[in-house]
Amino acid sequence: MTPCELARTWIGTPYQHQASLKGIGCDCVGLIRGVWRELYGDEPMALPAYSPDWAEVGGREILIDGLAQHFTPVPLTKARAGDVLVFRMKPVAVAKHAAILLHDFDDPRAQIIHAYWGHAVVASWLRPFWQKQAVAAFRFPVLGSGV
């Protein structure tokens, strides 16, 4: 299955901070972790515990830096279905939200699948709000590429 197909199977999973179990609970990072496990098996590293306000502390781009270690960065305009998008919720804040893209970034039908506080995993339209907040895109490794 593709990352898109797998992400769709997570829709309805309740939001749960730090969790990554389909049907039980996940946050936005947990969704990406869960899809990774379904594609490749074990995660490439243990994720340390993080507080709900992790992005407000320290000012480092932890999410972008972490994804760059295990995914291939791609320009936003080249992001395609199955890629991970990262969002900055305020212009001066660090990026703190992630989602899986369901269509190419420039497709007017584009949607994302993501988990966020107070909601289960949902599909949302990328345009216009989420597209404006997007700051980075990453591609899952190709199976058989040494993952």
Side-chain angles (χ1 to χ4, degrees):
M1 292 182 86
T2 69
C4 289
E5 292 167 332
L6 292 170
R8 285 181 192 277
T9 69
W10 285 70
I11 290 176
T13 296
Y15 181 89
Q16 179 64 46
H17 175 66
Q18 289 191 342
S20 65
L21 296 172
K22 187 190 308 185
I24 305 296
C26 72
D27 59 12
C28 67
V29 172
L31 171 64
I32 308 305
R33 292 173 55 212
V35 169
W36 177 285
R37 287 193 309 269
E38 290 182 282
L39 286 168
Y40 310 114
D42 293 336
E43 295 174 54
M45 62 180 274
L47 192 63
Y50 51 95
S51 66
D53 66 347
W54 64 268
E56 285 78 28
V57 180
R60 292 182 25 237
E61 292 287 359
I62 296 169
L63 182 56
I64 289 174
D65 293 346
L67 285 166
Q69 291 179 36
H70 305 288
F71 293 73
T72 303
V74 295
L76 274 175
T77 57
K78 302 290 184 193
R80 63 183 188 223
D83 288 347
V84 175
L85 295 183
V86 178
F87 304 90
R88 191 178 317 282
M89 304 315 293
K90 296 179 186 174
V92 296
V94 299
K96 64 182 277 182
H97 189 61
I100 296 177
L101 187 59
L102 289 182
H103 305 88
D104 294 351
F105 189 78
D106 58 358
D107 187 327
R109 302 170 300 145
Q111 292 181 297
I112 55 173
I113 292 184
H114 58 138
Y116 62 103
W117 187 264
H119 298 272
V121 175
V122 296
S124 300
W125 294 106
L126 179 62
R127 297 176 187 238
F129 176 78
W130 289 107
Q131 191 174 40
K132 290 178 189 173
Q133 310 306 326
V135 294
F138 296 89
R139 189 154 294 145
F140 279 90
V142 176
L143 286 171
S145 66
V147 171

